[in-house]
Amino acid sequence: MTEPKSCREAMTDTLLELAQKNKDIVAVTSDARGSCSLEKYSKALPGQFIECGIAEQDEIGIAAGLAAVGKHPYVFAPACFLSARSLEQIKIDVAYSHQNVKIFGVSGGISYGALGASHHSTHDIAVMRAFPDLAVILPCDAVQTEAMLRAVEERKGAVYIRAGRAKVPAVYDTANGVSCSPFVFGKANIIREGTDLTIIACGELVYAAMKAADKLKEKNIHTRVLDMHTLKPLDTGAVIQAARETGAIITVEEHSINGGLGAAVSQVVCETCPVPVHTMALPDEYIVAGDSADVFRHYGLDAGGIAAAAEKIISRKRA
Protein backbone atom coordinates (compact mmCIF):
# COMPACT_ATOMS: atom_id res chain seq x y z
CA MET A 1 0.00 0.00 0.00
CA THR A 2 1.28 3.46 -0.90
CA GLU A 3 2.18 5.52 2.16
CA PRO A 4 0.42 8.88 2.70
CA LYS A 5 2.34 11.82 1.25
CA SER A 6 1.47 15.47 0.74
CA CYS A 7 0.76 16.75 -2.75
CA ARG A 8 3.20 19.65 -2.19
CA GLU A 9 6.05 17.20 -1.51
CA ALA A 10 5.18 15.21 -4.61
CA MET A 11 5.05 18.41 -6.65
CA THR A 12 8.49 19.69 -5.63
CA ASP A 13 10.17 16.26 -5.69
CA THR A 14 8.97 15.72 -9.26
CA LEU A 15 9.81 19.26 -10.31
CA LEU A 16 13.38 18.81 -9.03
CA GLU A 17 13.75 15.67 -11.12
CA LEU A 18 12.43 17.43 -14.24
CA ALA A 19 14.45 20.61 -13.64
CA GLN A 20 17.69 18.66 -13.35
CA LYS A 21 17.07 17.54 -16.94
CA ASN A 22 15.72 20.85 -18.26
CA LYS A 23 17.57 24.07 -17.41
CA ASP A 24 14.63 26.18 -18.61
CA ILE A 25 12.53 25.15 -15.61
CA VAL A 26 12.59 27.81 -12.89
CA ALA A 27 10.82 27.77 -9.51
CA VAL A 28 9.64 31.17 -8.27
CA THR A 29 8.37 31.72 -4.74
CA SER A 30 7.40 34.43 -2.27
CA ASP A 31 9.05 33.49 1.01
CA ALA A 32 7.29 30.12 0.89
CA ARG A 33 10.12 27.57 0.70
CA GLY A 34 8.95 25.83 3.84
CA SER A 35 5.20 25.90 3.24
CA CYS A 36 5.68 24.79 -0.38
CA SER A 37 8.37 22.15 0.40
CA LEU A 38 10.97 23.89 -1.76
CA GLU A 39 13.96 23.60 0.57
CA LYS A 40 15.49 20.60 -1.22
CA TYR A 41 14.88 22.12 -4.66
CA SER A 42 16.36 25.52 -3.75
CA LYS A 43 19.53 23.93 -2.36
CA ALA A 44 19.99 21.57 -5.30
CA LEU A 45 19.30 24.10 -8.07
CA PRO A 46 19.97 27.65 -6.79
CA GLY A 47 20.46 28.85 -10.38
CA GLN A 48 16.93 27.74 -11.27
CA PHE A 49 15.27 29.25 -8.22
CA ILE A 50 14.04 32.80 -7.57
CA GLU A 51 13.07 34.05 -4.11
CA CYS A 52 10.88 37.15 -4.33
CA GLY A 53 10.25 37.66 -0.64
CA ILE A 54 6.73 38.43 0.54
CA ALA A 55 5.68 39.81 -2.83
CA GLU A 56 3.09 37.57 -4.47
CA GLN A 57 2.19 40.13 -7.12
CA ASP A 58 5.84 40.48 -8.13
CA GLU A 59 6.38 36.72 -8.39
CA ILE A 60 3.56 36.41 -10.94
CA GLY A 61 4.98 39.27 -13.02
CA ILE A 62 8.48 37.80 -12.85
CA ALA A 63 7.17 34.39 -13.90
CA ALA A 64 5.30 35.93 -16.84
CA GLY A 65 8.51 37.65 -17.95
CA LEU A 66 10.45 34.41 -17.71
CA ALA A 67 7.84 32.64 -19.81
CA ALA A 68 7.98 35.41 -22.41
CA VAL A 69 11.66 34.61 -23.07
CA GLY A 70 11.14 30.84 -23.27
CA LYS A 71 11.64 29.69 -19.68
CA HIS A 72 9.25 27.30 -17.91
CA PRO A 73 8.37 29.08 -14.65
CA TYR A 74 6.55 27.42 -11.76
CA VAL A 75 5.13 29.80 -9.16
CA PHE A 76 4.77 28.56 -5.57
CA ALA A 77 2.81 30.35 -2.84
CA PRO A 78 -0.16 29.83 -0.51
CA ALA A 79 -3.38 29.63 -2.50
CA CYS A 80 -5.07 32.21 -0.27
CA PHE A 81 -2.60 34.90 -1.39
CA LEU A 82 -2.34 33.88 -5.04
CA SER A 83 -6.11 33.93 -5.47
CA ALA A 84 -6.56 37.35 -3.85
CA ARG A 85 -3.44 39.51 -3.71
CA SER A 86 -2.08 38.33 -7.09
CA LEU A 87 -5.37 38.09 -8.94
CA GLU A 88 -4.87 41.01 -11.33
CA GLN A 89 -1.40 39.79 -12.27
CA ILE A 90 -2.71 36.28 -12.95
CA LYS A 91 -5.51 37.71 -15.08
CA ILE A 92 -3.41 40.19 -17.12
CA ASP A 93 0.24 39.08 -17.00
CA VAL A 94 -0.44 35.35 -17.34
CA ALA A 95 -3.88 34.48 -18.77
CA TYR A 96 -4.57 37.51 -20.97
CA SER A 97 -0.95 37.53 -22.15
CA HIS A 98 -1.08 33.79 -22.98
CA GLN A 99 2.05 32.99 -20.99
CA ASN A 100 3.24 29.47 -20.22
CA VAL A 101 3.17 29.85 -16.43
CA LYS A 102 2.27 27.08 -14.01
CA ILE A 103 0.91 28.42 -10.70
CA PHE A 104 0.91 26.12 -7.67
CA GLY A 105 -1.32 27.26 -4.83
CA VAL A 106 -0.42 25.28 -1.74
CA SER A 107 -2.51 24.91 1.43
CA GLY A 108 -5.69 25.50 -0.56
CA GLY A 109 -9.22 25.40 0.74
CA ILE A 110 -9.19 25.14 4.53
CA SER A 111 -5.70 23.63 4.91
CA TYR A 112 -4.76 26.55 7.15
CA GLY A 113 -7.87 25.71 9.14
CA ALA A 114 -6.91 27.13 12.53
CA LEU A 115 -5.69 30.44 11.04
CA GLY A 116 -9.19 31.40 9.98
CA ALA A 117 -10.72 33.20 7.01
CA SER A 118 -7.66 35.31 6.18
CA HIS A 119 -5.81 32.11 5.26
CA HIS A 120 -8.67 30.11 3.76
CA SER A 121 -8.98 29.97 -0.04
CA THR A 122 -12.57 28.93 -0.63
CA HIS A 123 -13.14 31.14 -3.68
CA ASP A 124 -10.20 30.28 -5.91
CA ILE A 125 -11.86 27.73 -8.19
CA ALA A 126 -14.69 30.16 -8.93
CA VAL A 127 -12.44 33.04 -9.90
CA MET A 128 -9.71 31.10 -11.69
CA ARG A 129 -12.07 29.15 -13.91
CA ALA A 130 -13.64 32.44 -15.03
CA PHE A 131 -10.40 33.57 -16.71
CA PRO A 132 -10.03 32.49 -20.36
CA ASP A 133 -6.86 30.57 -21.22
CA LEU A 134 -6.23 29.41 -17.66
CA ALA A 135 -6.67 25.72 -16.85
CA VAL A 136 -7.61 24.71 -13.28
CA ILE A 137 -6.46 21.43 -11.72
CA LEU A 138 -6.93 19.94 -8.23
CA PRO A 139 -4.94 16.71 -7.73
CA CYS A 140 -6.25 14.33 -5.08
CA ASP A 141 -3.08 12.58 -3.92
CA ALA A 142 0.69 12.45 -4.37
CA VAL A 143 0.56 9.79 -7.09
CA GLN A 144 -1.72 11.94 -9.21
CA THR A 145 0.27 15.10 -8.47
CA GLU A 146 3.41 13.53 -9.91
CA ALA A 147 1.58 12.33 -13.03
CA MET A 148 -0.15 15.72 -13.39
CA LEU A 149 3.11 17.66 -13.24
CA ARG A 150 4.74 15.50 -15.90
CA ALA A 151 1.72 16.07 -18.13
CA VAL A 152 1.47 19.86 -17.68
CA GLU A 153 5.20 20.31 -18.26
CA GLU A 154 4.63 18.87 -21.73
CA ARG A 155 1.60 21.12 -22.31
CA LYS A 156 2.10 24.77 -23.21
CA GLY A 157 -0.29 27.15 -21.49
CA ALA A 158 -1.20 28.70 -18.15
CA VAL A 159 -2.37 26.40 -15.37
CA TYR A 160 -3.55 27.02 -11.80
CA ILE A 161 -2.93 23.97 -9.60
CA ARG A 162 -4.37 23.85 -6.10
CA ALA A 163 -3.41 21.35 -3.42
CA GLY A 164 -3.52 21.00 0.34
CA ARG A 165 -0.83 20.96 2.98
CA ALA A 166 -1.02 17.73 4.98
CA LYS A 167 -0.11 14.19 4.03
CA VAL A 168 -3.03 12.48 2.31
CA PRO A 169 -3.84 8.80 1.71
CA ALA A 170 -3.38 7.52 -1.80
CA VAL A 171 -6.44 7.14 -4.01
CA TYR A 172 -4.43 5.79 -6.95
CA ASP A 173 -3.33 2.57 -5.34
CA THR A 174 -4.18 -0.96 -6.43
CA ALA A 175 -4.92 -1.68 -2.76
CA ASN A 176 -7.99 0.55 -3.21
CA GLY A 177 -9.00 -1.26 -6.38
CA VAL A 178 -7.96 1.73 -8.49
CA SER A 179 -5.72 0.87 -11.44
CA CYS A 180 -6.53 3.52 -14.04
CA SER A 181 -3.99 6.10 -15.20
CA PRO A 182 -3.79 8.80 -12.52
CA PHE A 183 -3.96 11.78 -14.87
CA VAL A 184 -5.00 12.65 -18.38
CA PHE A 185 -5.54 16.37 -18.88
CA GLY A 186 -9.24 17.23 -19.03
CA LYS A 187 -10.49 13.65 -18.53
CA ALA A 188 -12.25 12.58 -15.34
CA ASN A 189 -11.30 9.23 -13.83
CA ILE A 190 -13.79 6.59 -12.71
CA ILE A 191 -12.69 5.53 -9.22
CA ARG A 192 -15.74 3.36 -8.49
CA GLU A 193 -18.30 1.93 -10.89
CA GLY A 194 -21.99 2.18 -10.10
CA THR A 195 -25.45 2.74 -11.54
CA ASP A 196 -27.54 4.05 -8.61
CA LEU A 197 -25.96 7.52 -8.40
CA THR A 198 -22.71 9.35 -9.09
CA ILE A 199 -20.44 11.24 -6.71
CA ILE A 200 -18.22 13.73 -8.53
CA ALA A 201 -15.38 14.98 -6.35
CA CYS A 202 -12.18 16.96 -6.77
CA GLY A 203 -8.99 17.49 -4.83
CA GLU A 204 -8.34 15.78 -1.55
CA LEU A 205 -12.03 15.02 -0.96
CA VAL A 206 -11.91 12.35 -3.67
CA TYR A 207 -10.67 9.91 -1.02
CA ALA A 208 -13.67 10.70 1.22
CA ALA A 209 -16.00 10.21 -1.76
CA MET A 210 -14.42 6.84 -2.48
CA LYS A 211 -14.86 5.74 1.13
CA ALA A 212 -18.47 6.96 1.09
CA ALA A 213 -19.11 4.75 -1.95
CA ASP A 214 -17.69 1.80 -0.05
CA LYS A 215 -20.08 2.50 2.85
CA LEU A 216 -23.02 2.74 0.45
CA LYS A 217 -22.11 -0.57 -1.17
CA GLU A 218 -22.73 -2.22 2.20
CA LYS A 219 -26.35 -1.03 1.85
CA ASN A 220 -26.56 -2.32 -1.72
CA ILE A 221 -26.28 1.19 -3.19
CA HIS A 222 -23.86 1.04 -6.09
CA THR A 223 -22.18 4.39 -6.52
CA ARG A 224 -20.08 5.70 -9.37
CA VAL A 225 -17.25 7.95 -8.19
CA LEU A 226 -15.62 10.39 -10.59
CA ASP A 227 -12.37 12.16 -9.83
CA MET A 228 -12.85 15.49 -11.64
CA HIS A 229 -9.23 16.57 -11.21
CA THR A 230 -9.41 19.08 -14.08
CA LEU A 231 -12.04 21.71 -13.27
CA LYS A 232 -11.27 23.61 -16.43
CA PRO A 233 -11.63 22.33 -19.06
CA LEU A 234 -14.39 20.28 -17.43
CA ASP A 235 -15.01 16.76 -18.71
CA THR A 236 -18.60 17.47 -19.74
CA GLY A 237 -18.88 14.10 -21.46
CA ALA A 238 -18.30 12.26 -18.18
CA VAL A 239 -20.88 14.46 -16.43
CA ILE A 240 -23.54 13.87 -19.09
CA GLN A 241 -22.85 10.14 -19.12
CA ALA A 242 -23.18 10.01 -15.33
CA ALA A 243 -26.48 11.88 -15.43
CA ARG A 244 -27.93 9.58 -18.09
CA GLU A 245 -26.67 6.32 -16.65
CA THR A 246 -27.13 6.87 -12.90
CA GLY A 247 -29.90 9.48 -12.69
CA ALA A 248 -28.59 11.44 -9.69
CA ILE A 249 -25.38 13.32 -8.90
CA ILE A 250 -23.65 14.62 -5.77
CA THR A 251 -20.67 16.94 -6.09
CA VAL A 252 -18.08 17.19 -3.32
CA GLU A 253 -15.48 19.95 -3.02
CA GLU A 254 -13.31 21.88 -0.56
CA HIS A 255 -14.59 25.23 -1.81
CA SER A 256 -17.43 27.67 -1.40
CA ILE A 257 -20.80 26.41 -2.53
CA ASN A 258 -20.73 29.30 -5.01
CA GLY A 259 -18.95 28.97 -8.34
CA GLY A 260 -16.98 25.77 -7.92
CA LEU A 261 -17.35 22.16 -9.02
CA GLY A 262 -21.01 21.98 -8.06
CA ALA A 263 -21.86 25.06 -10.10
CA ALA A 264 -19.95 23.75 -13.13
CA VAL A 265 -21.61 20.32 -13.00
CA SER A 266 -25.09 21.76 -12.39
CA GLN A 267 -24.78 23.99 -15.44
CA VAL A 268 -23.93 21.02 -17.66
CA VAL A 269 -26.68 18.82 -16.21
CA CYS A 270 -29.33 21.55 -16.40
CA GLU A 271 -28.55 22.23 -20.06
CA THR A 272 -28.26 18.64 -21.27
CA CYS A 273 -29.82 15.97 -19.03
CA PRO A 274 -31.71 17.33 -15.99
CA VAL A 275 -31.51 14.98 -12.99
CA PRO A 276 -31.30 15.65 -9.22
CA VAL A 277 -27.98 17.29 -8.27
CA HIS A 278 -26.82 18.04 -4.73
CA THR A 279 -23.75 20.21 -4.09
CA MET A 280 -21.68 19.37 -1.02
CA ALA A 281 -19.34 22.26 -0.34
CA LEU A 282 -18.50 24.87 2.24
CA PRO A 283 -21.42 27.19 3.03
CA ASP A 284 -21.62 30.86 2.13
CA GLU A 285 -20.19 32.05 5.44
CA TYR A 286 -16.81 32.53 7.10
CA ILE A 287 -15.77 29.00 7.89
CA VAL A 288 -15.18 27.88 11.47
CA ALA A 289 -11.53 27.68 12.49
CA GLY A 290 -10.04 24.31 13.35
CA ASP A 291 -8.21 21.25 12.13
CA SER A 292 -9.19 20.39 8.55
CA ALA A 293 -10.59 16.97 9.45
CA ASP A 294 -12.74 18.49 12.20
CA VAL A 295 -13.99 21.22 9.87
CA PHE A 296 -14.89 18.64 7.21
CA ARG A 297 -16.87 16.64 9.78
CA HIS A 298 -18.57 19.81 10.99
CA TYR A 299 -19.89 20.52 7.49
CA GLY A 300 -20.62 16.89 6.56
CA LEU A 301 -17.74 16.66 4.09
CA ASP A 302 -16.45 13.33 5.37
CA ALA A 303 -17.27 9.82 4.23
CA GLY A 304 -20.20 9.48 6.64
CA GLY A 305 -21.70 12.83 5.67
CA ILE A 306 -21.35 12.14 1.97
CA ALA A 307 -22.94 8.70 2.32
CA ALA A 308 -25.89 10.17 4.23
CA ALA A 309 -26.43 12.80 1.53
CA ALA A 310 -26.30 10.06 -1.10
CA GLU A 311 -29.13 8.15 0.55
CA LYS A 312 -31.26 11.29 0.53
CA ILE A 313 -30.69 12.01 -3.16
CA ILE A 314 -31.55 8.41 -3.98
CA SER A 315 -34.98 9.03 -2.43
CA ARG A 316 -35.37 12.16 -4.60
CA LYS A 317 -34.47 10.11 -7.63
CA ARG A 318 -37.16 7.53 -6.82
CA ALA A 319 -39.85 10.07 -5.93
Side-chain angles (χ1 to χ4, degrees):
M1 178 177 290
T2 305
E3 290 297 314
K5 183 177 180 179
S6 71
C7 293
R8 59 181 177 143
E9 289 178 284
M11 179 77 176
T12 53
D13 287 350
T14 307
L15 187 68
L16 175 58
E17 177 192 331
L18 294 175
Q20 287 171 330
K21 300 173 184 177
N22 184 351
K23 300 304 181 184
D24 285 332
I25 291 176
V26 181
V28 185
T29 191
S30 52
D31 195 32
R33 299 185 206 201
S35 58
C36 293
S37 299
L38 279 167
E39 293 287 0
K40 183 165 63 174
Y41 179 102
S42 63
K43 290 176 181 178
L45 296 175
Q48 292 171 252
F49 178 78
I50 298 175
E51 173 61 79
C52 297
I54 304 176
E56 290 84 3
Q57 293 165 319
D58 289 347
E59 72 175 334
I60 296 295
I62 289 168
L66 289 167
V69 296
K71 297 296 183 181
H72 296 195
Y74 286 79
V75 175
F76 291 84
C80 58
F81 303 136
L82 287 170
S83 60
R85 188 173 298 157
S86 306
L87 202 55
E88 182 180 6
Q89 286 71 33
I90 293 172
K91 175 185 175 183
I92 303 300
D93 297 352
V94 175
Y96 181 64
S97 300
H98 311 293
Q99 296 299 340
N100 184 31
V101 177
K102 277 47 177 201
I103 303 167
F104 186 66
V106 75
S107 299
I110 55 169
S111 296
Y112 285 132
L115 296 180
S118 64
H119 282 64
H120 294 165
S121 52
T122 59
H123 65 286
D124 55 344
I125 297 172
V127 68
M128 296 299 183
R129 75 184 188 94
F131 292 154
D133 296 320
L134 180 66
V136 179
I137 299 172
L138 276 72
C140 68
D141 67 6
V143 177
Q144 187 175 66
T145 301
E146 177 181 347
M148 175 274 303
L149 179 56
R150 295 183 189 279
V152 300
E153 169 58 19
E154 296 298 320
R155 180 184 180 275
K156 188 174 182 180
V159 183
Y160 174 72
I161 304 156
R162 189 246 259 185
R165 181 176 180 83
K167 292 183 178 181
V168 292
V171 171
Y172 291 91
D173 189 333
T174 53
N176 292 325
V178 179
S179 58
C180 61
S181 175
F183 186 86
V184 176
F185 183 82
K187 297 296 292 182
N189 285 335
I190 299 176
I191 303 301
R192 291 285 187 270
E193 294 281 4
T195 56
D196 292 328
L197 80 153
T198 299
I199 302 173
I200 304 178
C202 63
E204 295 175 12
L205 286 179
V206 172
Y207 185 82
M210 180 179 71
K211 290 302 179 182
D214 294 343
K215 287 179 176 289
L216 291 165
K217 188 175 182 180
E218 295 172 2
K219 297 185 177 182
N220 205 33
I221 299 173
H222 302 284
T223 307
R224 181 177 304 181
V225 178
L226 291 181
D227 170 14
M228 192 64 72
H229 49 72
T230 307
L231 273 289
K232 184 184 175 184
L234 190 76
D235 188 350
T236 56
V239 174
I240 294 168
Q241 184 178 11
R244 288 176 176 163
E245 293 180 356
T246 69
I249 293 174
I250 290 177
T251 64
V252 184
E253 61 192 303
E254 185 182 353
H255 186 269
S256 166
I257 198 167
N258 298 315
L261 173 64
V265 168
S266 294
Q267 182 178 356
V268 173
V269 173
C270 181
E271 291 178 351
T272 60
C273 185
V275 299
V277 177
H278 176 60
T279 299
M280 299 193 70
L282 297 166
D284 186 17
E285 64 187 39
Y286 291 110
I287 304 306
V288 299
D291 177 81
S292 294
D294 291 335
V295 176
F296 287 144
R297 278 192 294 271
H298 178 77
Y299 291 111
L301 293 171
D302 58 356
I306 297 167
E311 292 190 62
K312 290 181 181 178
I313 203 169
I314 285 286
S315 66
R316 284 175 57 194
K317 173 183 171 182
R318 293 170 178 165

